[in-house]
Amino acid sequence: MQHGAPLDGPSSFAPRSGPGGLPAEVDRLVGRDAELAALRGRLERSRLVTVTGTGGVGKTRLALAAANGSQDRFCGGVRLVELSMVRDAPMVDRAVLEALAVTDHSARPPRSVLAEYLADRELLLVLDGCEYLVAECAALAAELLRRAPGLRILATGRRPLGVPGESVLPLGPLELADRPDRESAAVRLFTERAVAVVPSFAVTEANRAAVGALCRRLDGLPLALELAAVRLRTMSVERIAERITDRFQLLAGGDRAALPRRQTLRAVIGWSHELCTPTQRLLWARLSVFAGEFDLDAVEYVCTGSGLPADEVRDTVAALVAQSVVIRDEAAEGARYRMLEPVREYGAGWLEALGDTERLRRRHRDWYLGLATSCELDWFGPGQAEVAARVDRDLRNLRLALEFGLERASDPHIGQYLAGSLWFYWVGCGRLSEGRHWLDRALRRPGGNDGARAKALWVLGYVAALQGDTVAAVAALDECRALAERTGNAAAAAYAVHRTGCVALLSHDVPRAAELFGAALARYREIGELNSHVLLGQVGLALAMALRGDLEGAVAQCEQVRAVCLRYGERWALAYALYVLGYAAWRGGAGARAARELLCEGLAIHHALRDPVGMVVALELLAQLTDDGQGAAARAWPSLGGLRGGAHLDLDTAVSRALSAPTR
C-alpha cells in the first residue's frame, strides 16, 4: 500500500490472490464497532443484508470487515463480487461466476448455472457496488436466494435492492463529539491516517480544536477525512480546516447547513483537484477511462498528448500517488495503479467537461486491442502462462474496450476482431461462457470488416462446439467458410474446416473428423501456417486415428507435435498431444504407469493454464488408471456442461487427487 493512501474503502485491503477471494485487511477498522456488531447480527438473522449510504462513507470497508469475520460460519466460503465497474447488465451474472470460479462452460444461461452451483452450498456472497445496476442485482439476488437455501448475500450500494426479506443497514458518517474536548470516532480515524502521512503528528491541546472542527466540517465522512489527512504533508491542520471552510462557504453560498453530504465528499475531492497542477488535473481526468487496475505502459499510450508530454507522464502519476488521487499496489509483475470510484468519477466528469471522453476511450480501446493482438501472437511460445496472467490482470479493461468497440456504429469490426483475438483466453483459460457472450454480441452487429467477421465466426464455432452447442457451432463455421471462400481468406477457411472437424469428433463421427482434420492440415501447409491451431489440428487427427485403432499413426503424429512444441516452447498443444500419447500407451499395452506419467504431465500443464477442457478430458482417462478414479471421472465431466450435463466440480481438488493417486 502506498504510504498515506486513503484507507476507508477498497484501498484499505491488500490485493487478493484471485477472483472472488477476500482481500487481507492491512489496517484497523476505526470507529465502527457498533455498526460492525449490528451488521453481524443482521447477517445472523437475514439472508439478504444491504449496507446503504453515500459515497465515501465506508460501505465496502464495513462489509468486508464483517465478511472476513464470518468466514468460519460458511463451509462453502465467502466470496467477493466487485460490481462498481460493471455497466453491461449480462456481465453481472458473469461477474458472480468469475468470483465463484465456476468452471461450467455450457451454453446455458449463467443464472441457471449459478443457481445449480449454489443449490446445496452454504456460502456468503458479497455483492459490492450494486448502485449502477440495481435492478439486475436485485433480480439476481432474489432468484439465487430462492433457489439456494444455504446462500446469504451481503450487498453494498447507495440504495436498497428492494428484494422481499431484505434487511437494510443505513451507514452514516462517523460519530462526532458533542464537545470540543471529547474525542470522537471521526477524530480517531483522522489521527490514524494523519500519522500514516506524518508519523510525528499527534492531537495536542494546541491543535485539538482545529482537528475537531475539521472533522465536523467534513461531517465525519471517512473518505473525506482521509483525503484531508493527506494535506498534512504540506500544511497544518489549522490551515486545512480554514481552507475547507472557505470552500464550503463558496459551494453553499455562505450557508454551510445547506451543503448535503454528497457535496461534502465532492468538495474535498474538488479541493484535491484544485491543489493539483494543470498537468496533474489533466492526467487525473484521462485516467478515469481505465477500469480497475492499470500499468504505466498503458497510461503512457492512452494519456499522452496535448498538454501532457510523454516524458512527464511517469512523474505526474507519481505526484498523483503522493496526493492519494491514485493508489499504487505492488505486485509480482511490477507496480499496478488504480483509483477509488468516487475519485475516478470526479475525473470522468472533468473529462466529459473537456469534451475528450470519446477520444480517450478510443485510445484506451486501441491500447487493449494491441495488448490482445500481442498476447495472441505470444501464445505460440514459451510464455503461455504469463500471457494468461497478463490477460487476467487486464480483463476489466479488456471488457471495457470490448464494450466500447461494440458500441461504436462506425467501426463494429474492431469489436469483432478483439473478441476473436482473445480466442486463446476464452478456450484455453476457462472462459468459454464469457467468450460466447462477447462473440455473440459482436456478430449481431451489422456491417464491419470481412476479415474481422470471419475470425469472430470461426472462434464462435470453436467455443460453441466445446459448449456442446452443435447447431450454433455448425452455423457459425459454415458461414465463416462461405465468407472466407468468397473473399479469398485462406486462413479463415482453414480454421473453419479444422473446427468443423472438432464438431464431428465431439459428435462421435470419427471418420468425418479424420477427413476434416486432414483437409485443414493440407490447407495450413499451403499457406505456411504454423501456430497452436496447426498443432491442435494434428492432435485432433491423431486422436481420430487412435479411436479408429491406428495407434502407431497416432503416436507418430503426436511425436511430431511434441518435437515442434519443444522447439518453440509451446505447452498448451503439447498437453493435448500428451493426452493422445497417454491414451495410445494405455490401449497399446504399454501399461497404466507409462500412460499415467504422460497424462499427469499434460494435466499439470492444463492446470497451470487454467484450461478446464484439458483438465477434464485428462481426468476422465486418469480415472481409469487410478484406484479411486471412477468417482473423480463422474464428477469431472459435468464441469464441461456442454459435453456432459450435470453438477460442478472443484477442479483444483480433482487435479490434486489425480496427480497423487496410486497407479494400479
Side-chain angles (χ1 to χ4, degrees):
M1 181 66 58
Q2 178 66 25
H3 186 63
L7 297 175
D8 189 73
S11 61
S12 58
F13 293 82
R16 299 186 316 280
S17 58
L22 291 182
E25 296 182 72
V26 296
D27 66 1
R28 189 172 66 89
L29 184 63
V30 178
R32 293 298 195 186
D33 292 348
E35 293 91 337
L36 185 57
L39 181 53
R40 286 173 174 164
R42 288 175 187 246
L43 281 171
E44 291 282 347
R45 299 186 298 272
S46 303
R47 295 184 59 215
L48 171 61
V49 181
T50 303
V51 181
T52 63
T54 190
V57 79
K59 300 183 294 295
T60 297
R61 183 69 177 86
L62 182 70
L64 290 180
N68 266 305
S70 302
Q71 298 201 63
D72 292 343
R73 286 192 49 223
F74 297 93
C75 59
V78 179
R79 307 300 288 178
L80 170 64
V81 186
E82 295 173 301
L83 297 171
S84 63
M85 286 303 297
V86 176
R87 298 293 187 271
D88 180 22
M91 290 305 297
V92 172
D93 290 10
R94 297 182 189 283
V96 181
L97 283 171
E98 179 182 354
L100 293 171
V102 175
T103 57
D104 187 288
H105 298 292
S106 71
R108 293 179 296 163
R111 191 161 300 178
S112 298
V113 176
L114 281 171
E116 180 183 311
Y117 177 82
L118 293 168
D120 58 355
R121 285 175 164 79
E122 291 187 11
L123 185 141
L124 175 64
L125 201 59
V126 182
L127 302 180
D128 183 40
C130 296
E131 55 262 30
Y132 299 99
L133 292 166
V134 176
E136 289 78 5
C137 292
L140 172 67
E143 183 165 354
L144 293 184
L145 290 169
R146 179 175 59 83
R147 297 177 63 179
L151 175 68
R152 292 187 182 236
I153 294 176
L154 173 55
T156 73
R158 295 181 187 175
R159 59 189 178 96
L161 296 182
V163 174
E166 177 183 26
S167 176
V168 180
L169 178 66
L171 186 63
L174 290 169
E175 169 238 344
L176 295 164
D178 55 0
R179 286 182 6 205
D181 60 336
R182 289 184 179 173
E183 185 180 65
S184 65
V187 168
R188 290 199 303 275
L189 177 66
F190 178 82
T191 303
E192 286 207 8
R193 302 314 186 239
V195 169
V197 176
V198 180
S200 61
F201 179 83
V203 178
T204 66
E205 288 303 317
N207 67 14
R208 188 181 306 278
V211 171
L214 176 62
C215 292
R216 287 191 297 276
R217 287 163 189 165
L218 295 178
D219 291 321
L221 200 60
L223 182 54
L225 291 168
E226 292 169 343
L227 290 172
V230 174
R231 298 293 131 223
L232 288 170
R233 289 195 181 105
T234 56
M235 62 183 72
S236 68
V237 68
E238 292 84 359
R239 181 62 176 149
I240 295 170
E242 179 184 336
R243 292 287 297 274
I244 287 289
T245 301
D246 292 343
R247 182 168 183 83
F248 283 164
Q249 288 174 341
L250 177 64
L251 283 173
D255 181 6
R256 172 67 184 91
L259 193 64
R261 285 197 178 110
R262 65 180 179 274
Q263 283 293 87
T264 298
L265 180 58
R266 185 167 181 82
V268 178
I269 296 176
W271 184 37
S272 292
H273 189 262
E274 288 179 6
L275 293 173
C276 290
T277 66
T279 301
Q280 292 164 6
R281 293 178 203 165
L282 185 60
L283 181 57
W284 181 345
R286 291 177 179 178
L287 289 174
S288 70
V289 300
F290 288 98
E293 296 180 354
F294 47 88
D295 60 28
L296 284 175
D297 288 341
V299 174
E300 286 185 324
Y301 179 87
V302 175
C303 300
T304 296
S306 176
L308 186 60
D311 58 3
E312 293 184 19
V313 167
R314 290 178 182 253
D315 288 344
T316 308
V317 170
L320 291 175
V321 168
Q323 298 190 62
S324 291
V325 171
V326 172
I327 298 164
R328 172 179 169 136
D329 292 321
E330 294 298 337
E333 68 278 0
R336 304 279 291 175
Y337 300 85
R338 58 192 168 92
M339 291 193 291
L340 295 182
E341 185 60 15
V343 177
R344 193 202 66 79
E345 286 180 347
Y346 191 93
W350 274 93
L351 190 64
E352 190 68 31
L354 292 169
D356 211 16
T357 301
E358 177 86 3
R359 185 182 70 86
L360 263 293
R361 287 202 67 189
R362 188 181 300 110
R363 288 184 67 83
H364 175 277
R365 177 204 63 191
D366 291 347
W367 170 262
Y368 287 99
L369 176 64
L371 173 69
T373 301
S374 65
C375 285
E376 181 186 20
L377 293 172
D378 290 343
W379 184 253
F380 183 59
Q384 287 173 326
E386 290 77 10
V387 168
R390 178 89 192 264
V391 178
D392 273 336
R393 289 194 301 270
D394 286 309
L395 184 56
R396 288 187 185 182
N397 281 299
L398 284 162
R399 287 170 176 160
L400 193 63
L402 278 162
E403 191 68 45
F404 183 72
L406 297 175
E407 286 173 1
R408 299 281 300 160
S410 61
D411 46 13
H413 65 282
I414 296 182
Q416 293 170 356
Y417 187 83
L418 178 53
S421 293
L422 288 167
W423 66 266
F424 63 92
Y425 189 66
W426 310 139
V427 172
C429 303
R431 298 281 183 170
L432 289 177
S433 181
E434 180 169 352
R436 179 72 180 270
H437 165 74
W438 291 114
L439 289 159
D440 280 338
R441 277 193 62 187
L443 288 166
R444 283 198 297 268
R445 297 298 307 273
N449 174 287
D450 287 339
R453 183 170 185 83
K455 183 167 191 171
L457 281 166
W458 70 254
V459 176
L460 174 60
Y462 189 11
V463 168
L466 291 175
Q467 289 183 309
D469 191 350
T470 302
V471 173
V474 169
L477 292 168
D478 284 351
E479 183 182 345
C480 175
R481 188 170 179 179
L483 175 61
E485 290 178 349
R486 186 171 69 249
T487 59
N489 188 336
Y495 292 134
V497 173
H498 177 178
R499 297 309 169 190
T500 305
C502 294
V503 175
L505 190 63
L506 291 169
S507 302
H508 310 293
D509 188 348
V510 178
R512 174 68 172 154
E515 176 188 342
L516 289 165
F517 285 133
L521 290 170
R523 288 175 182 253
Y524 287 143
R525 284 192 295 272
E526 274 183 37
I527 60 177
E529 196 89 338
L530 178 60
N531 53 31
S532 299
H533 298 289
V534 176
L535 298 179
L536 285 177
Q538 284 188 262
V539 172
L541 178 59
L543 181 56
M545 295 168 72
L547 291 172
R548 298 175 76 180
D550 184 4
L551 298 179
E552 185 177 342
V555 169
Q557 282 284 339
C558 286
E559 288 298 353
Q560 288 180 22
V561 171
R562 179 149 66 170
V564 175
C565 287
L566 293 175
R567 185 184 317 142
Y568 288 93
E570 217 282 0
R571 304 281 291 164
W572 185 54
L574 173 62
Y576 284 99
L578 290 167
Y579 170 84
V580 178
L581 288 170
Y583 177 84
W586 180 48
R587 287 299 188 193
R593 183 176 299 277
R596 186 177 185 279
E597 287 178 358
L598 291 161
L599 290 167
C600 285
E601 183 183 350
L603 180 59
I605 296 170
H606 288 307
H607 188 251
L609 295 174
R610 312 302 304 162
D611 175 12
V613 176
M615 283 188 271
V616 169
V617 296
L619 282 168
E620 188 202 42
L621 188 50
L622 275 167
Q624 301 174 60
L625 308 176
T626 56
D627 293 340
D628 63 350
Q630 291 297 334
R635 293 190 302 273
W637 268 107
S639 70
L640 287 175
L643 298 178
R644 298 188 184 182
H648 299 271
L649 170 73
D650 178 347
L651 280 175
D652 288 330
T653 300
V655 169
S656 177
R657 288 176 178 171
L659 293 178
S660 60
T663 303
R664 282 195 305 212

